[in-house]
């Protein structure tokens, strides 16, 4: 029994010793695991630190190795190119307005005077090629402007101007599908006949107020020695003859007759139109009109006493051939019912390389500051209502006063409003009529054909 007790005691001792060993092993394993976790954490921290140091070293190396950035390219100075039909005194006055723009905004502007053909033929050719030499263009043809807008060649200016600052018709004529494509700049009128006051005084002539007085004046002028013809006829371009012809349509016919021709409601075989042309032809056959000649040269001859009167627009007061504007007189078309008035509009080609600067110039020209500069030079009627009345010279104010005559109807220019092939045909056929009055039937037929074709009614 003692032996059994001894064996059992030994077993108990062994079991106790195993438990102690196992406990010690577990403690050691736990300690080692903790140590391993600590070492792993340290390794992760060191790895992150090494990565950060490596990234920093790479950035430093990149900066050291990279070439220096190129110097900034100097900004090219902008110079806007402006096209218009103006030359002589008109151009001189316009340059003053452009100079004011340059001084105000620090943008250079170069004006290049053009011919009618240069604008009407040259510009569409450039636009068709997606190019434009000019950044800003000033033109007097609203129908032409609308055509260019429909073809997608012009920038819209609806948001650049306040339409309420201008006569409604001046905005409507350059609006397509509710969008404005030109800014009104200059207004002009073709109010009547100009003469030299001293010439009239010398020969006892007085400005007529009635049609009979007008015919008597022409007859008396024809008998004055040295007078080649009572009325000067301008040429070189088509509009001087078309201007006086339209004055006959409006005043020997009616303003409504002009408007109906513009709309295409009637054409040149209408009896009323034919009657007006027959009256004009009668004066041509009587020798009351001179043979057509270059229109500015005709002003010289008027001043020399070779003609008595000359039908011309209000820009007559700015012409250098007028030696003394104080000796320049004016009377409206006798028994005037209406008057042609138009303007010059500012457009921006879609192909300008400087659209922002071009828009700035357009806004300046459409505003009262630039237009007042022009008005004070003479021969310019502003479109912007904010230009003060006291800015006008007396001769120009006389035209403005006539335009404000109660009951006087202001109508658009016929050939400008219709435009296209009709305008060119109108000019050419009137040149023919002036030298061959008997060609009237053929002239009216040619005008009818071109008129209907241009309006899409042929």
């Amino acid at each position: 029994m003692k032996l059994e007790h001894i064996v059992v005691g030994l077993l108990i001792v062994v079991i106790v010793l195993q438990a102690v060993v196992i406990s010690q092993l577990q403690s050691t394993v736990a300690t080692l695991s903790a140590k391993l976790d600590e070492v792993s954490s340290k390794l992760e921290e060191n790895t992150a630190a090494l990565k950060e140091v490596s990234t920093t070293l790479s950035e430093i190396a990149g900066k050291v190795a990279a070439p220096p950035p190129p110097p900034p390219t100097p900004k090219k100075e902008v110079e806007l190119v402006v096209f218009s039909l103006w030359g002589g005194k008109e151009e001189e006055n316009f340059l003053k307005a452009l100079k004011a723009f340059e001084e105000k905004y620090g943008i250079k502007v170069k004006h290049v005077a053009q011919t009618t053909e240069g604008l009407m033929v040259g510009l569409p050719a450039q636009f068709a090629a997606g190019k434009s030499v000019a950044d800003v263009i000033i033109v007097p043809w609203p129908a032409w402007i609308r055509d260019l807008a429909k073809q997608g060649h012009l920038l819209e200016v609806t948001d650049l101007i306040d339409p309420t600052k201008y006569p409604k018709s001046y905005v409507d004529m350059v609006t397509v599908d509710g969008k404005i494509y030109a800014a009104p700049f200059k207004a002009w009128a073709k109010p009547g006949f100009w003469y030299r006051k001293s010439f009239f005084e010398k020969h006892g002539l007085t400005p007529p107020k009635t049609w009979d007085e007008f015919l008597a004046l022409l007859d008396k002028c024809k008998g004055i020695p040295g007078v080649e013809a009572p009325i000067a006829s301008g040429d070189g371009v088509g509009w001087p003859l078309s201007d006086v012809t339209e004055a006959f349509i409006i005043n020997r016919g009616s303003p409504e007759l002009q408007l109906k021709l513009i709309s295409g409601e009637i054409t040149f075989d209408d009896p009323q139109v034919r009657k007006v042309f027959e009256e004009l032809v009668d004066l041509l056959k009587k020798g009351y009109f001179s043979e057509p000649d270059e229109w500015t040269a005709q002003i010289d001859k008027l001043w020399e006493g070779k003609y008595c009167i000359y039908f011309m627009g209000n820009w007559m007061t700015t012409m250098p051939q007028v030696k003394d504007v104080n000796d320049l007189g004016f009377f409206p078309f006798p028994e005037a019912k209406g008057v042609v008035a138009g303007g010059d509009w500012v457009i921006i080609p879609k192909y300008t390389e400087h659209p922002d600067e071009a828009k700035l110039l357009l806004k300046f020209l459409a505003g009262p500051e630039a237009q007042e500069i022009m008005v004070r030079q003479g021969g310019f009627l502003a479109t912007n209502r904010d230009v003060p009345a006291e800015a006008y010279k007396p001769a120009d104010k006389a035209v403005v006063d006539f335009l404000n005559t109660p009951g006087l109807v202001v109508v658009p220019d016929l050939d400008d409003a219709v435009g296209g092939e009709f305008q060119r045909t109108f000019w050419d056929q009137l040149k023919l009529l002036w030298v061959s009055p008997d060609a009237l039937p053929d002239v009216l037929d040619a005008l009818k054909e071109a008129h209907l074709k241009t309006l899409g009614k042929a």
Side-chain angles (χ1 to χ4, degrees):
M1 293 295 293
K2 286 184 178 181
L3 181 59
E4 290 178 354
H5 287 160
I6 292 170
V7 171
V8 169
L10 287 171
L11 287 172
I12 291 171
V13 170
V14 170
I15 290 170
V16 170
L17 288 173
Q18 285 179 339
V20 170
V21 170
I22 290 170
S23 175
Q24 288 179 342
L25 286 172
Q26 288 177 336
S27 175
T28 301
V29 169
T31 300
L32 288 172
S33 178
K35 290 290 185 181
L36 288 172
D37 289 342
E38 183 179 350
V39 169
S40 177
S41 177
K42 291 290 185 180
L43 285 172
E44 288 179 358
E45 290 178 2
N46 291 338
T47 300
L50 287 171
K51 285 183 179 180
E52 185 176 347
V53 170
S54 177
T55 300
T56 303
L57 290 173
S58 296
E59 290 177 355
I60 293 172
K63 290 181 178 179
V64 171
T73 303
K75 189 176 181 180
K76 187 177 180 181
E77 188 174 33
V78 172
E79 181 180 62
L80 295 176
V81 175
V82 179
F83 282 0
S84 82
L85 293 172
W86 298 331
K89 186 66 174 178
E90 280 189 298
E91 180 182 31
E92 180 183 330
N93 293 343
F94 184 48
L95 291 178
K96 293 177 181 178
L98 294 181
K99 183 178 180 182
F101 173 80
E102 290 179 333
E103 293 175 348
K104 184 171 185 177
Y105 295 103
I107 300 172
K108 289 187 176 181
V109 184
K110 178 182 179 181
H111 176 249
V112 182
Q114 297 289 311
T115 63
T116 298
E117 293 74 17
L119 293 182
M120 298 191 78
V121 179
L123 287 179
Q126 290 183 33
F127 295 166
K131 299 178 181 179
S132 178
V133 175
D135 301 288
V136 172
I137 304 164
I138 301 174
V139 293
W141 311 301
W144 190 70
I145 292 173
R146 293 195 303 271
D147 287 342
L148 292 179
K150 292 174 184 177
Q151 295 166 22
H153 294 313
L154 303 181
L155 293 183
E156 181 186 350
V157 304
T158 307
D159 296 333
L160 301 180
I161 65 171
D162 178 358
T164 65
K165 295 294 184 181
Y166 313 93
K168 185 175 183 296
S169 62
Y170 279 69
V171 177
D172 290 345
M173 284 190 285
V174 290
T175 300
V176 177
D177 297 330
K179 297 178 180 180
I180 305 170
Y181 286 92
F185 178 46
K186 174 185 177 182
W188 44 257
K190 301 169 181 180
F193 295 91
W194 302 85
Y195 62 95
R196 190 174 181 183
K197 293 179 182 178
S198 59
F199 180 87
F200 266 45
E201 292 170 1
K202 178 180 178 181
H203 298 285
L205 306 175
T206 56
K209 295 183 178 179
T210 67
W211 183 249
D212 287 341
E213 290 176 357
F214 179 68
L215 295 179
L217 171 67
L218 299 182
D219 191 58
K220 189 172 183 179
C221 282
K222 198 172 181 183
I224 296 175
V227 171
E228 296 178 4
I231 308 174
S233 301
D235 197 359
V237 288
W239 58 263
L241 298 185
S242 68
D243 285 355
V244 69
T245 301
E246 290 178 36
F248 272 78
I249 293 173
I250 295 164
N251 296 302
R252 299 308 296 165
S254 67
E256 291 74 21
L257 202 61
Q258 175 103 328
L259 294 173
K260 288 180 179 179
L261 285 170
I262 290 172
S263 68
E265 184 178 340
I266 63 172
T267 189
F268 286 83
D269 61 357
D270 183 90
Q272 289 181 286
V273 176
R274 181 179 293 274
K275 181 179 178 182
V276 169
F277 272 83
E278 287 173 348
E279 192 165 14
L280 176 59
V281 163
D282 182 59
L283 299 185
L284 288 168
K285 288 182 176 181
K286 290 179 177 178
Y288 288 152
F289 284 93
S290 76
E291 291 186 3
D293 199 358
E294 200 279 322
W295 75 276
T296 60
Q298 295 291 64
I299 303 176
D300 280 321
K301 297 182 75 172
L302 173 73
W303 213 253
E304 295 166 3
K306 295 180 179 179
Y307 306 127
C308 288
I309 57 177
Y310 194 6
F311 188 93
M312 189 54 60
N314 67 284
W315 52 87
M316 188 74 164
T317 60
T318 69
M319 299 305 295
Q321 292 82 4
V322 174
K323 306 302 186 294
D324 180 5
V325 71
N326 294 318
D327 195 20
L328 183 66
F330 159 78
F331 64 85
F333 196 100
E335 301 177 14
K337 304 172 185 176
V339 62
V340 166
D344 288 282
W345 288 262
V346 186
I347 60 175
I348 302 176
K350 185 175 71 175
Y351 315 103
T352 172
E353 295 182 0
H354 312 293
D356 292 338
E357 292 83 358
K359 290 177 181 179
L360 196 61
L361 177 57
L362 178 141
K363 291 176 67 174
F364 179 77
L365 294 176
E369 181 180 351
Q371 294 191 23
E372 183 174 345
I373 292 172
M374 297 294 291
V375 164
R376 290 189 181 280
Q377 309 309 310
F380 185 99
L381 308 181
T383 56
N384 194 295
R385 301 186 192 279
D386 291 340
V387 175
E390 57 269 20
Y392 287 94
K393 292 183 179 295
D396 296 315
K397 188 64 165 54
V399 175
V400 173
D401 290 343
F402 165 66
L403 294 177
N404 291 323
T405 299
L408 188 73
V409 180
V410 176
V411 296
D413 187 285
L414 170 60
D415 57 293
D416 282 350
V418 177
E421 182 179 336
F422 169 74
Q423 185 171 52
R424 295 186 292 273
T425 303
F426 195 39
W427 293 351
D428 290 341
Q429 290 299 313
L430 290 178
K431 292 178 184 179
L432 171 62
L433 186 66
W434 244 251
V435 296
S436 301
D438 289 330
L440 178 61
D442 292 335
V443 167
L444 292 177
D445 286 343
L447 293 178
K448 174 184 176 181
E449 180 181 354
H451 183 230
L452 295 177
K453 183 178 179 181
T454 303
L455 292 174
K457 297 186 177 183

